[in-house]
């Protein structure tokens, strides 16, 4: 009897926990179809106009110059975020993969100290890292903008890629690499034809994770972004002061679906066996 009650209580707790996590997301999805222009949380009717406005299509509700200007600024912020995320994920994946290979294959005196330095950006609070990067960029004479955001994101995202690729390397048998070397292949050929195909799921998973984290980072980006380098999280944060526009709900739903797809693909690639 008590076991049955315990299972029911655990099931009810699980349902409440899922509602707590996903009910706000469901509300955003519902109100992204709301036709109310003034108050997004007051339902007035069903419409696709906010989705149409994001693709530059004609709408009935967002025809005013105010909403057109907001949509243009929003799309510009999305382009900046996507460009930063693409470049950052490429650089972070390269740095994290090379570092993981070096620390996994070679043993040297400062190896553990170097590993600790790699983990530090992940352990350090975002606000501390953001202030540290701001002080560095200002002291070094960098002009804050898209370039400083990319450099700042690479600082901590390389650590995420390093962990994922290292986990992949730890479960990989080096017999194939040794056999490739015995057959006369040089280190580059062995890496390209033997090592890389085996760790590719981890590399791809790390790249996708870096892309997602870079896309929605706010705290660190807030400190190292210039006046004209506005990303989507910064744009939404600034909009909180003067009122959220209805297009945000529609864009949030699209980004959520995109993020879920990228995250699912990354988990699938990471779980694949060589």
């Amino acid at each position: 009897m008590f076991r049955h009650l315990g299972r029911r209580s655990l099931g009810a707790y699980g349902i409440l926990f899922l509602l707590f996590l996903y009910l706000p997301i469901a509300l955003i999805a519902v109100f992204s179809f709301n036709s109310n222009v003034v108050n997004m949380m007051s339902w007035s009717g069903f419409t696709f106009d906010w989705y149409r406005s994001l693709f530059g299509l004609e709408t009935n509700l967002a025809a005013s110059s105010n909403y057109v200007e907001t949509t243009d600024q929003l799309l510009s912020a999305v382009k900046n975020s996507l460009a930063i995320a693409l470049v950052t994920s490429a650089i972070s994946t390269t740095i994290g993969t090379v570092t993981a290979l070096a620390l996994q294959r070679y043993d040297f005196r400062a190896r553990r100290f170097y590993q600790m330095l790699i983990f530090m950006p992940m352990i350090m609070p975002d606000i501390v890292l953001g202030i540290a990067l701001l002080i560095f960029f200002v002291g070094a004479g960098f002009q804050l903008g898209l370039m400083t955001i990319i450099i700042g994101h690479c600082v901590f995202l390389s650590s995420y890629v390093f962990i994922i690729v290292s986990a992949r390397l730890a479960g990989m048998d080096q017999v194939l690499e040794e056999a490739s070397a015995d057959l006369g292949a040089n280190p580059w050929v062995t890496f390209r034809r033997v090592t890389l195909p085996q760790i590719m799921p981890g590399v791809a998973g790390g790249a996708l994770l870096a892309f997602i984290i870079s896309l929605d980072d706010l705290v660190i980006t807030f400190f190292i972004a210039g006046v004209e380098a506005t990303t989507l999280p910064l744009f939404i944060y600034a909009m909180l002061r003067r009122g959220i526009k209805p297009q945000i709900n529609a864009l949030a739903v699209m980004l959520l679906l995109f993020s879920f797809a990228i995250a699912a693909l990354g988990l699938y690639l990471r779980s694949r066996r060589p």
Side-chain angles (χ1 to χ4, degrees):
M1 177 180 178
F2 290 104
R3 182 181 300 179
H4 181 67
L5 291 176
R7 289 180 179 177
R8 293 183 60 181
S9 301
L10 185 61
Y13 172 79
I15 294 175
L16 291 176
F17 181 73
L18 292 176
L19 288 175
F20 176 78
L21 288 178
Y22 295 106
L23 185 59
I25 298 177
L27 290 176
I28 291 177
V30 171
F31 282 97
S32 66
F33 301 100
N34 184 17
S35 62
N36 194 324
V37 178
V38 180
N39 185 5
M40 291 189 300
M41 300 307 295
S42 178
W43 187 265
S44 297
F46 187 88
T47 183
F48 284 104
D49 278 10
W50 309 125
Y51 289 91
R52 293 194 186 100
S53 66
L54 294 178
F55 293 98
L57 303 177
E58 295 184 1
T59 63
N60 297 323
L61 299 175
S64 64
S65 59
N66 183 24
Y67 283 100
V68 172
E69 181 181 1
T70 301
T71 302
D72 293 339
Q73 295 174 349
L74 180 61
L75 294 178
S76 177
V78 172
K79 292 178 182 178
N80 287 338
S81 293
L82 290 175
I84 292 172
L86 285 172
V87 176
T88 300
S89 61
I91 298 176
S92 300
T93 302
T94 303
I95 296 175
T97 302
V98 172
T99 305
L101 285 168
L103 293 182
Q104 184 72 22
R105 293 291 185 264
Y106 302 101
D107 190 12
F108 50 95
R109 182 173 300 177
R111 178 183 177 186
R112 295 196 178 277
F113 176 74
Y114 195 79
Q115 287 178 335
M116 183 189 68
L117 292 179
I118 295 176
F119 286 117
M120 282 299 296
M122 298 179 58
I123 303 173
M124 189 181 305
D126 288 347
I127 189 170
V128 176
L129 182 58
I131 295 174
L133 288 170
L134 175 62
I135 295 174
F136 169 77
F137 288 136
V138 173
F142 283 87
Q143 183 178 0
L144 299 181
L146 296 179
M147 183 58 64
T148 55
I149 297 176
I150 292 174
I151 296 174
H153 285 190
C154 290
V155 169
F156 67 96
L157 290 178
S158 298
S159 301
Y160 288 92
V161 178
F162 168 79
I163 291 176
I164 295 177
V165 177
S166 295
R168 190 73 180 184
L169 285 170
M172 190 183 73
D173 193 356
Q174 299 185 25
V175 173
L176 294 177
E177 293 179 327
E178 296 173 357
S180 176
D182 292 339
L183 292 174
N186 58 48
W188 169 246
V189 173
T190 300
F191 171 75
R192 184 167 56 89
R193 295 188 176 183
V194 179
T195 307
L196 186 59
Q198 293 187 83
I199 66 173
M200 183 54 69
V203 174
L208 294 175
L209 181 62
F211 180 87
I212 292 297
I213 296 176
S214 175
L215 189 65
D216 64 2
D217 180 77
L218 172 62
V219 178
I220 297 176
T221 307
F222 178 81
F223 287 97
I224 59 178
V227 178
E228 298 181 357
T230 302
T231 62
L232 180 60
L234 292 178
F235 181 82
I236 297 175
Y237 177 75
M239 189 178 287
L240 290 174
R241 304 176 182 178
R242 57 181 185 270
I244 299 293
K245 297 297 186 295
Q247 296 98 322
I248 293 297
N249 284 341
L251 181 63
V253 174
M254 296 175 62
L255 288 178
L256 280 172
L257 295 176
F258 178 73
S259 300
F260 287 153
I262 293 295
L265 179 60
L267 292 174
Y268 168 74
L269 292 175
R270 184 183 176 187
S271 62
R272 288 183 59 189
R273 296 185 178 274

